[in-house]
Amino acid sequence: MGKKKGGGGGGSGPALKAEEWPLTRGGMQKMAELFTARKNISSGLAKKILEEAHELISRQPTVVDIVVSGKGTASVVGDTHGQVTDVIEIFQKFGLPTKDRKYIFNGDYVDRGDQGCEVVLLLCGWLLCDPTSLTILRGNHEDRSITLRYGFAEEARTKYGSGMYDLFISLFAALPLSAVVNDTVIILHGGLFRSPEDPSKLEPLQTLRDISNRERQKIDECPDKGIIADVLWSDPTPDNKKTILGDNDMRGSGCHFADHLTTQWLDDHNFTTLIRSHEGPDLQDLSLGYSLRADDRLITVFSARNYCGSYGNSGCVVTLGKDCHPRFQVF
């Protein structure tokens, strides 16, 4: 944290300026090179990217439906937590975003690592280059109170100023909460969500779909309870507990949901698989960047390699083809 405006790593300052608009694929690759060298783009360009991305994202539904056809793919990326070199490595290793090579980023782009601004700006830049190629979902760290506690607020204000931090927060509040691929696979950051009327029961997906884009944009700090809190904060029930469906006391928000409830909910919606993120190698065995539960129908994917420079874990991307059979790409 705490880099001076203009970025570190030597050199003569930003090589991309606000005049370089609209963004091009070549410009995005130049941006990746700057971020790898730990340099920042200009404040003007950063502001333009955030404003234009917000305008686009704020029109998206709360649950985004994604179609994969022919030989196309959609790859789900888990938490990256300010480790922008992992995002760049994913694009280098598995291909840049295109309409036939889609990416779904599943939240937690900031905090922990010190290049959260760069992760968000890189993803938003690619989204603006081709809105059909990228979907950016919200995680529990895309939140005003959480970023104040875990480092991103300081990072953004140091690099770009308080006004720019507010633009990041406004963007975070606009992000969709879920994606569905080919009516077969659902992607959520944390997990399943309870009925507001009867917390002993899970709520159908339609209730999440019914949350308007305007309604979700009002929530820059996630409440402790409710459907959005559950989507962003929930975890599968730990193996050493017998909770079927109850409060996630460890997190202080969200719920714990048992494996058999997961399979039943998926069957009720004619889904084969739920892909989530949210848990890192500090909470479960993610040495390969993914884990499987609920008869392999519940996938946790984590994409920040050697998380916090301490865990030695690999990262993973889950790639879906037309048939939506998950392929685990470890890096």
Side-chain angles (χ1 to χ4, degrees):
M1 304 301 165
K3 288 183 174 43
K4 295 181 180 178
K5 190 182 294 185
S12 57
L16 284 173
K17 301 184 184 300
E19 299 80 49
E20 300 189 37
W21 192 269
L23 292 171
T24 63
R25 297 178 70 83
M28 289 307 304
Q29 290 177 286
K30 186 189 294 186
M31 188 186 298
E33 292 170 4
L34 285 175
F35 291 162
T36 300
R38 304 190 71 84
K39 297 178 181 179
N40 297 333
I41 61 174
S42 70
S43 294
L45 180 57
K47 183 174 185 289
K48 183 75 169 174
I49 289 172
L50 293 177
E51 290 175 339
E52 293 291 325
H54 181 275
E55 183 176 343
L56 190 159
I57 288 168
S58 64
R59 298 195 299 267
Q60 293 181 317
T62 298
V63 180
V64 180
D65 289 292
I66 296 169
V67 176
V68 176
S69 59
K71 295 183 179 180
T73 60
S75 294
V76 184
V77 182
D79 298 16
T80 49
H81 278 301
Q83 297 184 195
V84 73
T85 53
D86 288 331
V87 178
I88 294 168
E89 174 72 11
I90 287 167
F91 289 156
Q92 290 176 339
K93 193 174 184 67
F94 306 122
L96 295 172
T98 68
K99 64 182 179 64
D100 294 317
R101 189 189 299 118
K102 304 177 193 292
Y103 282 90
I104 303 162
F105 281 80
N106 198 24
D108 281 12
Y109 313 109
V110 301
D111 294 327
R112 313 293 190 189
D114 66 353
Q115 289 186 286
C117 291
E118 290 85 335
V119 172
V120 175
L121 290 167
L122 192 68
L123 297 185
C124 287
W126 277 110
L127 178 70
L128 293 171
C129 277
D130 184 356
T132 68
S133 70
L134 204 74
T135 300
I136 308 172
L137 302 181
R138 186 174 181 177
N140 64 300
H141 278 262
E142 281 68 62
D143 178 281
R144 184 179 295 276
S145 62
I146 299 300
T147 56
L148 286 168
R149 188 184 312 169
Y150 290 103
F152 178 69
E154 180 185 353
E155 176 197 338
R157 288 167 175 166
T158 300
K159 290 176 179 175
Y160 291 114
S162 295
M164 199 77 76
Y165 169 67
D166 289 336
L167 287 180
F168 277 107
I169 293 301
S170 180
L171 175 81
F172 294 165
L175 294 172
L177 300 176
S178 177
V180 174
V181 178
N182 286 6
D183 295 321
T184 299
V185 174
I186 182 166
I187 299 104
L188 302 157
H189 180 72
L192 297 178
F193 42 97
R194 296 167 289 184
S195 166
E197 288 74 29
D198 185 358
S200 69
K201 296 180 180 179
L202 290 172
E203 189 75 359
L205 180 61
Q206 187 59 47
T207 306
L208 191 62
R209 287 190 183 276
D210 289 342
I211 297 174
S212 69
N213 51 5
R214 182 170 296 183
E215 182 181 353
R216 73 171 188 265
Q217 289 178 64
K218 299 176 182 177
I219 304 173
D220 64 1
E221 292 189 42
C222 182
D224 291 337
K225 294 187 180 298
I227 288 176
I228 293 178
D230 281 2
V231 168
L232 299 181
W233 283 93
S234 293
D235 295 305
T237 300
D239 292 336
N240 63 347
K241 294 188 177 181
K242 297 182 179 179
T243 305
I244 295 175
L245 185 65
D247 290 339
N248 191 340
D249 293 330
M250 182 193 73
R251 302 271 195 186
S253 188
C255 70
H256 279 140
F257 53 96
D259 287 355
H260 74 277
L261 292 181
T262 303
T263 57
Q264 183 61 60
W265 192 90
L266 290 171
D267 288 342
D268 289 345
H269 291 79
N270 294 316
F271 293 148
T272 62
T273 310
L274 187 159
I275 302 177
R276 63 182 295 273
S277 302
H278 191 40
E279 289 182 289
D282 52 331
L283 296 176
Q284 61 163 292
D285 181 8
L286 287 165
S287 57
L288 293 178
Y290 72 95
S291 68
L292 302 171
R293 292 183 56 152
D295 299 325
D296 295 347
R297 298 178 68 185
L298 174 60
I299 299 169
T300 298
V301 60
F302 193 79
S303 304
R305 295 178 296 182
N306 191 26
Y307 180 47
C308 295
S310 301
Y311 289 90
N313 59 288
S314 297
C316 182
V317 170
V318 181
T319 297
L320 307 169
K322 180 181 177 181
D323 63 0
C324 284
H325 180 75
R327 182 158 49 99
F328 302 95
Q329 301 196 95
V330 178
F331 65 100

